[in-house]
Structures are given as C-alpha cells and as structure tokens.
Amino acid sequence: MSRTSFVHCAGIMVLGILAAGLALNGLAGAHSGATGIVKERMDAMKAIAKATKGLSTQSWDNLEAARRATIANARALSVHGRDMVRLFPKGSVHGPSEAIGAIWDQPDEFARIAKALSDAADEIERTAPAAQTSQDISGPLSRVTETCKACHADFRKKK
C-alpha cells in the first residue's frame, strides 16, 4: 500500500470513528436528564430497538449462529413486552419522557399491545430452532414491528 493510500484509509477510519462517537453522543443526549423509571423505560426502548434490528438484519449464512442470535433477540423482546406496563406507572411523564396521557387513559389497549409484542417474540423463539432463513420468522417479526408502530402512534409524543 502506498503512503498516499495509507493516509487516505487512515483519514477515512478517523472520520468513521468521529461519526460513530457523535452518533452515540446524540443518543446519550436524548436520554440526558432521564432518571428513575423514565430512564429505565428509555433504556428498555433502546434494547427493544436493538433486538428488533438484530432480528431484521440477521445473516443466516451460519445457521446455528443465526438461530442462537434469533432466540436471544426474541427472548429480549418477550421480556421487555411482559415488563412494559410496569415501566409506565401512572403520572410518570416527568423529565424527557415521550409518553403521553393516553397510556393511562387506555390502559387495557396499552397492555394488549405490550402482550402482542411478547406473543410475537415468543413465536419467533419457538420458530427459531427449526428456521432455515429469515423468511421463517418474517410473520411474527412483522407482528413485532406492528406492535411498535401501534404503540408509538397511540401512546408516544409526535416527533
């Protein structure tokens, strides 16, 4: 590799590292000031997003690794879905919360959506041991993303 090529590659790596740092700082900033239950649920939402992304972008080149990762991500979603109602005690809209009062005005609907998340995640976990491709989990994964959309449409501040 020529010196010019090396310097160019090193420069690109530095820019990538800086961009990643700025992106992570932005995520941290979104949660800055959050404490207690609001921080706990913001962290849970971040974990849900990470698990959902993991499921939707999972490579199936290594079948056993894909199955293990799929099961782990599905379990994370299921746990968070079952814990969702606890994370939103009445009146916890302080700080940087994105929750709106509809959560407490329509608690049965909120609980139904949280249960649908867990149910879809449980189905992914049951399907994963025999899955051959991402197509095998696409039905329940689609239901996971629909629960996220439904909950955000009804119970989250509009951006």
Side-chain angles (χ1 to χ4, degrees), residues 25 27-28 58 62 67 85 100 112 119 131 146 153 155 158:
N25 187 39
L27 286 175
Q58 178 64 52
N62 178 331
R67 288 172 176 165
V85 172
I100 61 172
R112 184 196 66 73
D119 290 348
E146 288 304 314
F155 302 115
K158 305 298 181 226

Side-chain angles (χ1 to χ4, degrees), residues 4-141:
T4 305
S5 295
F6 176 78
V7 170
H8 180 73
C9 287
I12 290 172
M13 287 175 51
V14 168
L15 288 174
I17 292 168
L18 287 172
L22 289 172
L24 289 174
N25 187 39
L27 286 175
H31 291 178
S32 97
T35 59
I37 198 73
V38 173
K39 180 165 181 1
E40 190 177 343
R41 71 178 173 234
M42 286 180 156
D43 290 345
M45 295 302 165
K46 194 171 165 182
I48 289 169
K50 181 179 178 184
T52 303
K53 181 177 181 181
L55 289 169
S56 63
T57 61
Q58 178 64 52
S59 167
W60 286 82
D61 293 339
N62 178 331
L63 199 54
E64 289 308 311
R67 288 172 176 165
R68 283 191 304 273
T70 297
I71 289 168
N73 282 319
R75 284 182 182 159
L77 289 173
S78 184
V79 166
H80 287 300
R82 284 193 303 274
D83 197 36
M84 190 67 62
V85 172
R86 181 193 68 79
L87 293 173
F88 289 86
K90 189 157 185 77
S92 61
V93 292
H94 56 282
S97 177
E98 295 179 0
I100 61 172
I103 290 173
W104 303 285
D105 295 338
Q106 303 169 41
D108 293 341
E109 179 62 10
F110 182 70
R112 184 196 66 73
I113 294 171
K115 182 178 182 327
L117 170 62
S118 288
D119 290 348
D122 291 344
E123 187 177 345
I124 292 170
E125 184 178 355
R126 285 190 303 274
T127 304
Q132 298 293 313
T133 69
S134 61
Q135 200 57 30
D136 294 329
I137 64 163
S138 65
L141 180 55

